[in-house]
Amino acid sequence: MNIVVCIKQVPDTESVIKIAGDGMSIDTGDIKWVMNPYDEFGVEEALRIVKDQGGEVTVVGAGPARVVEALRTALAMGADKAVHIQDDDLYGADPIAVAKMLAKAIEPLNPDIVFFGQRAVDDDSGVVSSAVAEFLGMPQLSVITKVELADGKVKGTRPIEGQTVVLEASLPAVISAQKGLNEPRYASLPGIMKAKKKPLETKTPADLGAERSDFIEIAALNPPPERAPGKTVEGETPGELAANLAKLLKEEAKVI
Amino acid sequence: MAGVWIIAEQRDGEFRKITYEVASAAKKVADELGTEVTAVVLGSGMQDACAELGKYGVAKVLYVDGDAFATYTTDAYTNAAGALIKDGAPDVVLFGASTQGKDLGGRLAARLDTGIAVDCTALAVADGKLKATRPIYAGKVYADVIINGTPQIASLRPNVFDVVEAGGEAAVEAASADAGEIKAAVAEVQAAEEGKIDLTEATVIVSGGRGMKEADNFKLLEELAGKLNAAVGASRSAVDAGWRHHTDQVGQTGKVVTPNLYIACGISGAIQHLAGMGSSKVIVAINKDADAPIHTKADYCVVADLFDVVPELTKEV
Ligand SMILES: Cc1cc2nc3c(=O)[nH]c(=O)nc-3n(C[C@H](O)[C@H](O)[C@H](O)COP(=O)(O)OP(=O)(O)OC[C@H]3O[C@@H](n4cnc5c(N)ncnc54)[C@H](O)[C@@H]3O)c2cc1C
């Protein structure tokens, strides 16, 4: 099995996100960058498949020089090699434009499976995996919590509203990973040492013959809408508290 | 033909609520652009149901009938809707950011070589263009996004846009479009537990965290939920402890929910949990720690032991 896992480097989820002076981007000064949590499920699944069936795992990431850290994390988890599409201006770009670039980098790797996380926790778009599938002409299995491989085919389990569907496709295929797929391993210390010596190739968009074509433009970033301050529900006993709360929900908020 | 198009979502031949939300939002956009709403309906045996979309502001329905469209697949929907859109050249295409819409969005935008704004919570028209607002960084920031391609595609977060009854009957036109090759087929459909309401569609959610102490205690929340016709959610701590299934998790690595009412029981209100439920319309916190961060986000704070209050609340509602 030849498996590619695409990785995005995103701000750690605890990061305080500050809007930059231009009002259209974020201040990246104090951010701690990590591998997108959903991508970890993709790396883990790829490693498990290769352990079971043999093959190789290549991780691919796009963005400025710092993205190498996220790729090294995946190498330390056990991936074999990495490709970095270096473009200092790519962070915050139109995800479809990024997908186009990733597809160019993935194609020559001839993968049987391409894994993604089901969305990145920064732009929360969740469109890159399916756009890459389209650009590569592959089937897509998105938001998958279980992967089964047999006879050149893949089955993927996807929870949807009120149901669970099992999708089936021939390989090669693109799969986006959802929480529940597995428990990602941590990079071990020996893994981290080994990762330093693993091959990491750097390519520019020009090397790939890819041009940026952003359709999405950020007009403004704003803080979330303010919520009115909350009310403390009064009452001496649990019964009083419950009665007062029920009254507020019925008469004031009108939600029950 | 141009105009504002929507892609309807149906299951087992019935439109889902998100379709009415999207139609209502599309009607507003169309009014501002001085145009009309056309709905693309892909389904099987739904001819009669289509006219009903007129009630929510749809002027015209392009209905494609075929077995291949009975159940959603990425391929059939991208092939058929993609071809109709290329033909009709609408200015704007809208659909729900449901599981289906999220699956379709990236593929369709790539197929049509245009831009998409996903999971939008507000739409406006500026200089004849769609301006979409969408939460990013787990709701820590809201982005106003302009879509420069044609058509401008946006998917809308469920439960955010009001359903507005605006009109009468839609003109239904049988359209033909090929499902094409289905590369990723549905091999099996497993129904959820009888009567279980999905979190992303629920209008009321009762959620429990580490404060629930053990799996069995979730019965208290099930009872309250039963009376409120609510879904039961959980924090990651409750899921990681094995008390609830991971599909019940609300938050950054769980589900993003937007109910009218979210009741958080024994949940501290960590940033990753808030990321999933922070845009609920009304939030109730039941937490015995007055300093728990959830109390700063809640509309109604009950500082008390949940084991005392929840059973009483179940009696009151
Ligand atoms: C990458 C990443 C992703 C994450 N994703 C998610 C996610 O998607 N969803 C999520 O929820 N978390 C997520 N987390 C975890 C998150 O940081 C918190 O650890 C988690 O939300 C805490 O869950 P909790 O509020 O149930 O537990 P705690 O923080 O332990 O809080 C329990 C609360 O219950 C109260 N309590 C206890 N007993 C009672 C009682 N008898 N009556 C009333 N109140 C009581 C306590 O006062 C306390 O406030 C993520 C973390 C990381 C690092």
Side-chain angles (χ1 to χ4, degrees), chain A residues 87-231:
Chain A
D87 181 344
D88 289 342
D89 190 33
L90 203 62
Y91 189 71
D94 178 351
I96 303 281
V98 175
K100 229 177 244 178
M101 219 168 268
L102 289 171
K104 291 264 194 205
I106 295 165
E107 200 162 25
L109 298 169
N110 284 318
D112 298 298
I113 304 177
V114 185
F115 276 110
F116 285 86
Q118 62 104 349
R119 69 186 151 107
V121 301
D122 49 3
D123 69 15
D124 285 328
S125 280
V127 297
V128 174
S129 62
S130 45
V132 165
E134 171 69 13
F135 292 133
L136 294 176
M138 290 184 192
Q140 78 192 47
L141 294 86
S142 52
V143 196
I144 296 299
T145 55
K146 187 176 171 195
V147 172
E148 291 166 279
L149 291 163
D151 311 322
K153 289 199 162 162
V154 57
K155 275 190 181 177
T157 301
R158 170 201 292 167
I160 64 173
E161 298 86 354
Q163 291 182 338
T164 301
V165 296
V166 180
L167 301 168
E168 188 177 46
S170 297
L171 298 179
V174 172
I175 301 174
S176 79
Q178 166 70 322
K179 183 185 155 84
L181 182 59
N182 52 44
E183 272 308 320
R185 70 194 67 186
Y186 289 103
S188 64
L189 193 58
I192 293 168
M193 299 311 291
K194 267 197 221 156
K196 291 186 178 150
K197 296 198 198 85
K198 288 184 179 172
L200 192 152
E201 205 181 344
T202 304
K203 294 197 165 163
T204 64
D207 294 339
L208 297 167
E211 256 181 62
R212 271 279 288 282
S213 54
D214 288 31
F215 290 112
I216 293 290
E217 184 191 316
I218 304 254
L221 295 186
N222 295 300
E226 285 219 31
R227 295 188 81 96
K231 252 188 201 172

Side-chain angles (χ1 to χ4, degrees), chain A residues 12-14 37-38 40 121 179, chain B residues 208-213 234-238 240 243 249-255 262 265-276 286-294 302 304-308:
Chain A
D12 174 87
T13 49
E14 303 281 349
Y38 288 104
E40 294 176 14
V121 301
K179 183 185 155 84
Chain B
R210 201 197 302 274
M212 295 305 297
K213 305 242 169 9
S235 74
R236 173 161 153 182
S237 298
D240 286 354
W243 304 340
Q249 184 178 319
V250 172
Q252 182 165 48
T253 40
K255 294 203 167 119
Y262 189 90
C265 307
I267 293 178
S268 60
I271 185 84
Q272 297 88 353
H273 190 77
L274 297 173
I286 303 179
N287 192 312
K288 62 184 179 185
D289 176 5
D291 295 325
I294 189 81
V302 181
D305 193 313
L306 73 93
F307 293 103
D308 298 330

Side-chain angles (χ1 to χ4, degrees), chain B residues 196-197 199 204-208 218 221-222 225 230-234 244 248:
Chain B
K196 189 170 173 182
I197 303 165
L199 284 170
V204 180
I205 294 174
V206 181
S207 233
F218 270 86
L221 303 192
E222 300 280 359
V232 175
R244 302 297 290 182
D248 294 344

Side-chain angles (χ1 to χ4, degrees), chain A residues 43-59:
Chain A
V43 175
E44 178 63 37
E45 200 66 15
L47 294 173
R48 290 185 190 193
I49 293 170
V50 161
K51 178 157 187 273
D52 199 39
Q53 314 207 353
E56 195 177 49
V57 178
T58 308
V59 288

Side-chain angles (χ1 to χ4, degrees), chain B residues 178-243:
Chain B
D178 218 350
E181 187 196 349
I182 313 290
K183 291 179 180 165
V186 174
E188 202 183 317
V189 179
Q190 299 155 356
E193 271 168 64
E194 191 75 45
K196 189 170 173 182
I197 303 165
D198 187 80
L199 284 170
T200 56
E201 297 191 326
T203 49
V204 180
I205 294 174
V206 181
S207 233
R210 201 197 302 274
M212 295 305 297
K213 305 242 169 9
E214 56 179 286
D216 242 16
N217 292 334
F218 270 86
K219 273 197 205 118
L220 292 177
L221 303 192
E222 300 280 359
E223 280 161 15
L224 176 58
K227 285 200 91 178
L228 293 170
N229 198 22
V232 175
S235 74
R236 173 161 153 182
S237 298
V239 171
D240 286 354
W243 304 340

